[in-house]
Amino acid sequence: MEVKDKVIGVLGGMGPAAGVDLVSKLIDQTDARTDHEHLPVALLNYPERIIDRSTFLFGETDLNPALAMADILRQLESVGATVAGIPCNTAHAPAILDVIQEELDRTGHSIRIIHMIEETAMFMREHMPQVETVGTLSTLAVYDLGLHRKPLEAAGFDVVVPEARIKEELVNRTIFDTEFGLKAQTNPVTDKAKHNLVTAIDHLVERGADAVVLGCTELPLAPMVEERSDVLLVDPAEILARALIRETYPEALRPLARHYAAHVPSTP
Amino acid sequence: MEVKDKVIGVLGGMGPAAGVDLVSKLIDQTDARTDHEHLPVALLNYPERIIDRSTFLFGETDLNPALAMADILRQLESVGATVAGIPCNTAHAPAILDVIQEELDRTGHSIRIIHMIEETAMFMREHMPQVETVGTLSTLAVYDLGLHRKPLEAAGFDVVVPEARIKEELVNRTIFDTEFGLKAQTNPVTDKAKHNLVTAIDHLVERGADAVVLGCTELPLAPMVEERSDVLLVDPAEILARALIRETYPEALRPLARHYAAHVPSTP
């Protein structure tokens, strides 16, 4: 029996459902028809150890979640992980991610983080040649830092974001609200959460978006993809899953199931 | 911040989707509205290291999957797990489970396995007082060993199983078939798999079942629960998720969402 000794690590817990979702996507993106053809995956979902990323980035605490995250990455390495994905867009802020990397380097650990946001811009550049303008949905912290905007612009896209009120009330709040938000309820997602996100996507389309990046790992948990055909919805977690497989077992990578043709409105 | 230092371990990979499903159910059964209220969970999905359980139980190999499974349980313990669930009914055969326990004892490891099948019988006894006759769906190996039948009978239920042809062609094959089976395809589950399972459930209802145990962790992945109201479908993975929370963070256990009243046909 072939030994698959490289483990794919998932640093989860931010939120827990996003960790599960990434493992699910790793399974979906693997070309396998029996248990044994599937890839070794370790998921550590330790939500209470990791301070909320936005709370830290907005200066409401001095505790950088990077230290706990580096610790969990070392645990992933201890069970065999050679690469890891972090299913949390906000955690990719340099103030967090750079500190994680320094902490891993300092302690002599070589587990390699695959950068979800950079992978997303590269994937879109490769597979969505017709897209010109990209809208993004994310936490306020990610908007403020331009975490998606910068790599998308570097890849040659125009980037549009929602107006301030929509960013705050329809996007950020739909992620965090403890009554109707996605971190509170994903099974099922509340109607209010779905409605808010659909409204925010409409708004981005009005601003010219041909594609919208669901740039918070909670967002793809809301079943919006089936609900519209006028804009391409891009899921960074799915792209990250494919990148993690490519970096470990490229021969097991499933052919792209979706055709990423852009839904560019025909010009008159 | 309260420290949740007991990790809930999931020994997955049998199949990989069943491991993900158990973590998902751990999240669903936790009473939480923010990331930080969720529980620490470690999932190790190493499918290729664990010989198929049925293959071993039918004597087609001398390699007992128990040794690899004990090794993964030790890894779960090394990242903090104090209890573990094994989302694979067939792996609960004494020829496997007893050897895992001996191997853990021999090497001085104290991680505690929560027994999914015994928990299922206990849960049904407590929450389904009106049920008299229970049908079971499982792999052939689990049928042959009476893995569900024995604890259910000990709990006072009458147990019915399908006739031989249905066991083999409609249940076992729907789990394992590399074209239409659940181990090959769960996203989406094939129509043939769904049809076969619904037919097998009909057959168990004809044999008098008031409730049917979906006694292979691949089975609840097929969306059958919504499809009928004449019989109670019982998901051992959901019951295992609740038992794992009860044994670690009982205060975080969500109240039972479903009312488990039996669908006993009214007598004339």
Side-chain angles (χ1 to χ4, degrees):
Chain A
M1 188 165 57
E2 181 201 0
V3 177
K4 297 200 186 80
D5 54 2
K6 289 174 300 216
V7 171
I8 296 173
V10 176
L11 167 46
M14 304 171 276
V20 172
D21 183 58
L22 178 56
V23 180
S24 224
K25 282 166 181 161
L26 283 164
I27 294 172
D28 290 345
Q29 299 298 326
T30 302
D31 199 5
R33 295 200 290 183
T34 65
D35 288 1
H36 298 92
E37 290 169 8
H38 278 282
L39 306 177
V41 174
L43 164 69
L44 299 184
N45 250 4
Y46 299 160
E48 91 295 352
R49 299 187 199 176
I50 308 174
I51 301 277
D52 183 77
R53 287 64 60 201
S54 294
T55 304
F56 168 72
L57 292 170
F58 285 128
E60 293 160 29
T61 173
D62 288 337
L63 279 175
N64 192 330
L67 300 181
M69 292 170 71
D71 197 48
I72 299 169
L73 286 164
R74 284 188 287 256
Q75 290 198 346
L76 284 168
E77 191 175 298
S78 80
V79 294
T82 55
V83 298
I86 305 178
C88 173
N89 288 268
T90 313
H92 286 71
I96 298 172
L97 200 64
D98 290 356
V99 175
I100 294 175
Q101 193 56 59
E102 283 162 21
E103 178 66 11
L104 290 176
D105 293 345
R106 186 183 69 76
T107 52
H109 287 265
S110 59
I111 188 169
R112 198 154 52 84
I113 298 166
I114 307 300
H115 197 295
M116 179 165 59
I117 294 179
E118 288 174 5
E119 290 289 343
T120 299
M122 286 190 289
F123 182 94
M124 291 180 72
R125 187 67 290 159
E126 185 178 346
H127 295 285
M128 303 175 187
Q130 291 167 279
V131 169
E132 292 178 6
T133 304
V134 181
T136 67
L137 293 178
S138 72
T139 60
L140 281 179
V142 167
Y143 278 129
D144 285 1
L145 294 165
L147 283 191
H148 287 101
R149 183 177 50 75
K150 291 174 191 172
L152 285 168
E153 286 178 352
F157 295 107
D158 292 328
V159 176
V160 290
V161 298
E163 61 182 57
R165 190 189 59 81
I166 289 180
K167 275 183 189 170
E168 286 173 31
E169 285 302 309
L170 296 190
V171 187
N172 197 70
R173 203 170 148 205
T174 297
I175 296 166
F176 287 104
D177 192 278
T178 54
E179 291 303 324
F180 69 86
L182 295 170
K183 286 188 181 289
Q185 273 215 54
T186 55
N187 188 23
V189 169
T190 63
D191 286 343
K192 182 163 184 181
K194 270 189 268 190
H195 175 77
N196 285 356
L197 295 174
V198 168
T199 305
I201 293 170
D202 287 343
H203 171 75
L204 288 169
V205 171
E206 280 163 23
R207 293 198 156 191
D210 312 316
V212 169
V213 174
L214 304 174
C216 167
T217 43
E218 311 289 340
L219 297 175
L221 305 174
M224 301 171 297
V225 179
E226 290 82 2
E227 285 175 27
R228 58 194 308 152
S229 60
D230 58 331
V231 64
L232 205 52
L233 299 181
V234 179
D235 176 5
E238 185 176 284
I239 293 168
L240 176 60
R242 293 185 63 84
L244 287 163
I245 297 170
R246 180 197 72 213
E247 294 297 315
T248 48
Y249 302 96
E251 69 286 0
L253 190 59
R254 199 172 210 172
L256 270 178
R258 284 204 273 164
H259 181 56
Y260 288 96
H263 301 266
V264 182
S266 54
T267 45
Chain B
M1 188 166 58
E2 183 202 1
V3 176
K4 295 199 186 80
D5 54 2
K6 290 173 300 217
V7 172
I8 296 173
V10 176
L11 167 48
M14 304 171 276
V20 172
D21 183 58
L22 178 55
V23 180
S24 223
K25 282 167 182 161
L26 284 164
I27 294 171
D28 290 344
Q29 298 299 324
T30 302
D31 199 6
R33 296 198 289 183
T34 65
D35 289 1
H36 297 92
E37 291 170 7
H38 277 282
L39 306 177
V41 174
L43 164 68
L44 299 184
N45 250 4
Y46 299 160
E48 91 296 355
R49 300 187 198 176
I50 307 173
I51 300 279
D52 185 77
R53 288 63 61 201
S54 294
T55 304
F56 168 72
L57 292 170
F58 285 129
E60 292 161 29
T61 173
D62 288 335
L63 279 175
N64 192 332
L67 299 181
M69 292 169 72
D71 196 49
I72 298 168
L73 285 164
R74 284 188 287 256
Q75 291 199 346
L76 284 168
E77 192 175 299
S78 80
V79 294
T82 55
V83 298
I86 306 177
C88 172
N89 288 267
T90 313
H92 287 71
I96 298 172
L97 200 65
D98 291 355
V99 174
I100 294 175
Q101 194 56 60
E102 284 162 21
E103 178 66 10
L104 290 176
D105 293 343
R106 187 184 69 75
T107 52
H109 287 265
S110 59
I111 187 169
R112 199 155 51 86
I113 299 166
I114 307 299
H115 197 294
M116 177 165 60
I117 294 179
E118 288 174 6
E119 289 289 343
T120 299
M122 286 189 289
F123 181 93
M124 292 180 70
R125 186 68 291 158
E126 186 179 345
H127 296 285
M128 304 176 188
Q130 292 167 280
V131 167
E132 292 179 4
T133 304
V134 181
T136 68
L137 294 178
S138 72
T139 60
L140 280 178
V142 167
Y143 278 131
D144 284 2
L145 293 165
L147 283 191
H148 287 101
R149 184 177 50 75
K150 290 174 191 172
L152 285 168
E153 286 178 350
F157 294 107
D158 292 329
V159 176
V160 290
V161 299
E163 62 181 57
R165 190 188 58 80
I166 289 179
K167 276 183 190 170
E168 286 173 30
E169 286 302 309
L170 297 191
V171 187
N172 197 69
R173 205 173 147 203
T174 297
I175 297 166
F176 288 104
D177 192 278
T178 55
E179 292 303 324
F180 69 87
L182 296 171
K183 285 188 182 290
Q185 271 216 56
T186 54
N187 189 21
V189 168
T190 63
D191 287 342
K192 183 163 184 181
K194 273 189 266 190
H195 175 78
N196 284 356
L197 295 174
V198 168
T199 306
I201 292 170
D202 287 342
H203 171 73
L204 288 170
V205 171
E206 280 163 24
R207 292 197 158 192
D210 312 315
V212 169
V213 174
L214 304 174
C216 167
T217 43
E218 310 290 341
L219 296 175
L221 305 175
M224 300 171 294
V225 179
E226 290 82 3
E227 284 178 26
R228 56 193 311 152
S229 60
D230 58 331
V231 64
L232 205 53
L233 299 181
V234 179
D235 175 6
E238 186 175 283
I239 294 167
L240 176 59
R242 293 186 63 84
L244 287 163
I245 297 170
R246 180 196 70 214
E247 295 296 317
T248 48
Y249 302 96
E251 68 287 358
L253 190 58
R254 198 172 213 173
L256 270 179
R258 281 204 274 163
H259 180 58
Y260 287 97
H263 300 267
V264 182
S266 55
T267 46

